[in-house]
Every structure is written in C-alpha cells, then in structure tokens.
Amino acid sequence: MLDVQLSGNNMSDNNKKTLIKSTSDFISSNVIRILVIFALIFSLFLSFQIYNYFNLKNIKNTSANFFNSIQNNDIINENLENIKDENTFYSVLSSLKLIDQYNINKNFEKSSEIYKNLVDSNKLNLDPIYLTAISVHAAYTLIDASYIKNNTEFL
C-alpha cells in the first residue's frame, strides 16, 4: 500500500491494467474458440430467420389460396379441402367455409364429419370459447338438419 502511495499510482490503475492485459491474453489465446462460438450463434440466428421467412411465406400462400377459392366458387371445395388439412389458422376458416357450403347443398353428413374433426382434433389449440362456439353452431345446424330430413340421424 505504501508502494502505491509513494509511486503516485492508484491501486485501481494497476487493476485496470492487469484486467486489460488478462483480457487481451485470454482473447489472443482463445481466438478460435471465440470465433466458433460467434459463428454458432450467428448460424442459429440465421437458421431461425430462414425458418420464420418460409413459415410466413407459407401462411401468405395459404391466405391467398383461401381467398382466391372463396372468390372462385367453381373450384371452392377442392382448394378448401387442401387448405383444411394444413396446420394454420386458415385450415379452421376453410373447414368452416366447407361446412357452410355442405349445409347449403344439404350434405349434412359431410358437414357433421367436418364439425367432429374440427372440434376433436383442435390441432391449433383453439381457445375453449371458440370450440364452444363451433360446437354450438354445429348443434343448431344438425338439429336443423334433423328437422329438414325428418329423422333423428344427427341428434
């Protein structure tokens, strides 16, 4: 302590110098390891960005297909059947649109099957309120179908 006071250097200056020296020694002796770690972090970040890009592109394509098939009623069922099997929000929308089309065409058997698959699979982990709304809509639709067909097949 007396040495430090007589030489005019602060103890913190010596600590700073040794810290800088030890840091530069560490970096120079581990350059390859540090570069590999940065390369791994960068490649993970790049992979994540590429995955997000292609995922977003797929969602945009599905969205465009969904809205195009709604506008072109002549091929609606074929395109919506393909979209229904995907694992996106538009698969739920296409299922509901197909149900609507089948109900208009009085094909309640197919409508009932899609309702069951939609509620049972819940592949998008929909909130229970949405599942309840879909189930209630299905119940009223199938009750109406029973009255139209004059049987209890759907009850």
Side-chain angles (χ1 to χ4, degrees), residues 82-127:
N82 292 336
I83 295 171
K84 179 182 70 135
D85 296 330
E86 295 180 11
N87 194 16
T88 64
F89 174 73
Y90 291 100
S91 64
V92 175
L93 291 179
S94 64
S95 296
L96 294 174
K97 188 66 175 172
L98 279 170
I99 288 169
D100 189 43
Q101 290 295 319
Y102 288 133
N103 288 342
I104 290 170
N105 296 332
K106 307 279 189 249
N107 189 354
F108 298 112
E109 293 83 10
K110 190 72 173 163
S111 174
S112 173
E113 179 184 322
I114 295 174
Y115 270 129
K116 287 178 188 174
N117 289 338
L118 187 60
V119 172
D120 289 342
S121 70
N122 193 16
K123 55 187 166 186
L124 291 177
N125 295 324
L126 293 174
D127 198 60

Side-chain angles (χ1 to χ4, degrees), residues 20-36:
I20 292 172
K21 175 93 171 109
S22 64
T23 303
S24 66
D25 288 343
F26 175 77
I27 290 174
S28 63
S29 64
N30 295 312
V31 168
I32 304 247
R33 289 182 184 154
I34 293 170
L35 288 176
V36 168

Side-chain angles (χ1 to χ4, degrees), residues 63-81 83 97-98 101:
S63 169
N65 288 339
F66 175 76
F67 289 110
N68 286 338
S69 41
I70 287 176
Q71 290 176 352
N72 302 331
N73 287 331
D74 51 336
I75 54 173
I76 190 169
N77 287 350
E78 184 179 318
N79 285 340
L80 289 178
E81 283 286 343
I83 295 171
K97 188 66 175 172
L98 279 170
Q101 290 295 319

